[in-house]
Amino acid sequence: MNFTGAALPLAAGVALLVFLIRLAREPRRLGNAVWFGIALLLGGAWLLREALHLDWLTPVVAVLLAAVAVIVALVLPAALIFNGVQMWRKEGRSTGNLLSLALGAGLITLEVLFFVPLGRWGTALVAIVIVLTGYFGFLFVSLLAYSVLYSRVGRHRDVEAIIVLGCGLSDDRVPPLLAGRLERAIRLYEREPEHPPLLVVSGGKGPGESVTEAEAMHGYLRERGVPEDRIRREDQATTTEENLRLSAALLPQSDRPGRVLAVTSNYHVFRTAVECRRLGLPIHATGSPTAHYFLPSALLREFAALILHYRRTTIAACVVITGAGVALAVV
C-alpha cells in the first residue's frame, strides 16, 4: 500500500486514538462528539473505498448509497414534517415544538432551489446553505451518536446521591415525562439496598403551578415507598444550571467527591453532562426513556442549545464557510 492509500486509514486511526484518549480523560466534553464523528466519517470512507475495490461488492455499495440518498433527500424531510404535525397536535404550537416541521420544510425548499437556475450569486448562496446544512448535519449526527455512547459507558452503580431534574407539572401532578425520570431514579436507588443513595428532587414553581416540581416529585417518591430521610427537596431552580448547582449544595460534604448522578430524559443527558463539567461539578448524567414522537423536536432543541452555548465556534465556522463560498463565486 502506497502512502496515498495508507493516508485514509492512518487518519481514521489517529482520530480514533485522539477520541479514546479524550474519552478516558473526561467523557463530558463536547469536543469528544466531534472527534467521534470524524473517526466514524474517516473510518466509513476507508471501508467504502476498500469495498469499491471488490467487484462483487460494488453493486451492493451502489444500492446502499442510492438508498441513503433517497432517505436523506425524501424520507427524512417527510418524516420531520410528519413529526412536526404530531408535535403541533399533541404538544402545542410553541417554537420548540415546531422545530422538526420547520427543518423538514427548509430541507425540501433547499432541494427544490438546487434545481432552479438562480444565476451566479443565487447558485452560490444555495451552495453555501447546502454546505452549512452539511456541517450542522455532521455535528448533529456526531452529537447524537456520542450521546448514545456516553449513556452506555457511564458507571451507574455504587452511587451515593441521585439528582432528579424537574421538567414541569401537569395540573400540579407529575406528568409521564417526569415520571420516567423518577422511575429511573428509583431503579438506581433500588440497586444499592445496603447503602441506598440520597435522592435530591429539583425544580421550582413554574407558570400556572400552585406547587413546586420538587414537592410533586417528593410526593411521587413517597408513594413509591422511598423513605423520607432519603429524599431532599430543592425547590428554587428554574433552569438546568440551577437544578445542578442548587442540588449539589444540598449534598453532604462527604458525598461531593463521591459518585453522584443526575437523572434526566435521554435526549437531555449529554447537555446535562456538559453543564456539570462547565460548573465544575463531579456529576455524571443518565437518562430515562421518552415518547418516540417527542424525540426529534427534543433532540433538535438540545442541539440548538449546545450550538448556542459554543456560539463563538459556531459563528467562526459559519463565517469561514460563507467566506469561502463568496470567494469561489467571485473567482
Side-chain angles (χ1 to χ4, degrees):
M1 181 182 293
N2 56 32
F3 176 78
T4 304
L8 195 56
L10 179 62
V14 170
L16 180 60
L17 179 62
V18 172
F19 164 70
L20 292 175
I21 292 173
R22 291 171 62 93
L23 177 66
R25 288 181 174 177
E26 173 54 86
R28 301 174 298 172
R29 300 179 67 177
L30 184 64
N32 294 355
V34 177
W35 280 104
F36 188 47
I38 292 173
L40 290 177
L41 184 64
L42 293 174
W46 172 53
L47 292 175
L48 177 62
R49 189 192 66 183
E50 294 301 311
L52 291 175
H53 288 162
L54 301 174
D55 293 339
W56 65 274
L57 264 182
T58 301
V60 177
V61 172
V63 170
L64 289 176
L65 291 177
V68 170
V70 170
I71 291 173
V72 172
L74 300 177
V75 178
L76 177 60
L80 287 169
I81 291 174
F82 176 74
N83 176 256
V85 173
Q86 276 191 308
M87 289 293 294
W88 190 327
R89 291 176 177 174
K90 295 183 179 182
E91 302 292 335
R93 302 181 183 182
S94 68
T95 303
N97 290 339
L98 296 178
L99 279 176
S100 55
L101 177 62
L103 180 58
L107 289 175
I108 290 178
T109 302
L110 187 60
E111 291 170 10
V112 171
L113 290 176
F114 182 77
F115 296 100
V116 176
L118 298 173
R120 181 180 184 182
W121 289 105
T123 301
L125 177 61
V126 171
I128 290 171
V129 174
I130 289 174
V131 174
L132 286 172
T133 302
Y135 169 74
F136 285 110
F138 166 76
L139 289 181
F140 179 79
V141 173
S142 298
L143 283 169
L144 180 60
Y146 183 68
S147 295
V148 173
L149 177 65
Y150 173 83
S151 65
R152 298 291 187 273
V153 300
R155 184 170 65 176
H156 300 155
R157 291 191 178 275
D158 197 18
V159 177
E160 295 182 359
I162 300 170
I163 299 171
V164 187
L165 276 59
C167 63
L169 303 178
S170 176
D171 297 325
D172 292 336
R173 297 181 62 85
V174 172
L177 188 68
L178 186 52
R181 299 183 182 186
L182 290 165
E183 290 296 329
R184 172 64 171 157
I186 291 170
R187 287 194 297 273
L188 292 168
Y189 173 87
E190 291 175 344
R191 288 181 183 177
E192 312 287 344
E194 295 184 4
H195 303 285
L198 182 70
L199 294 175
V200 180
V201 289
S202 176
K205 187 183 297 183
E209 296 173 350
S210 60
V211 299
T212 64
E213 296 169 11
E215 184 177 347
M217 288 191 284
H218 172 268
Y220 187 98
L221 292 176
R222 293 291 291 122
E223 289 177 2
R224 294 283 279 107
V226 179
E228 178 71 35
D229 64 347
R230 302 314 299 163
I231 306 174
R232 292 189 182 180
R233 284 180 282 184
E234 183 291 299
D235 57 6
Q236 300 298 316
T238 58
T239 65
T240 299
E241 177 183 341
E242 291 178 353
N243 283 138
L244 297 167
R245 180 167 47 79
L246 297 178
S247 295
L250 294 180
L251 300 178
Q253 189 68 31
S254 59
D255 285 345
R256 290 192 181 185
R259 293 157 295 281
V260 182
L261 278 179
V263 175
T264 183
S265 300
N266 52 8
Y267 63 83
H268 191 231
V269 167
F270 187 54
R271 183 156 73 95
T272 300
V274 170
E275 192 70 18
C276 289
R277 176 178 177 270
R278 187 182 71 82
L279 294 172
L281 299 174
I283 300 173
H284 287 268
T286 185
S288 62
T290 306
H292 294 306
Y293 79 87
F294 193 81
L295 276 176
S297 289
L299 289 170
L300 288 172
R301 287 200 302 270
E302 293 300 303
F303 176 68
L306 282 169
I307 290 300
L308 289 175
H309 182 68
Y310 291 88
R311 52 188 173 273
R312 291 183 180 178
T313 303
T314 302
I315 293 172
C318 291
V319 168
V320 170
I321 292 172
T322 303
V326 171
L328 289 174
V330 171
V331 173

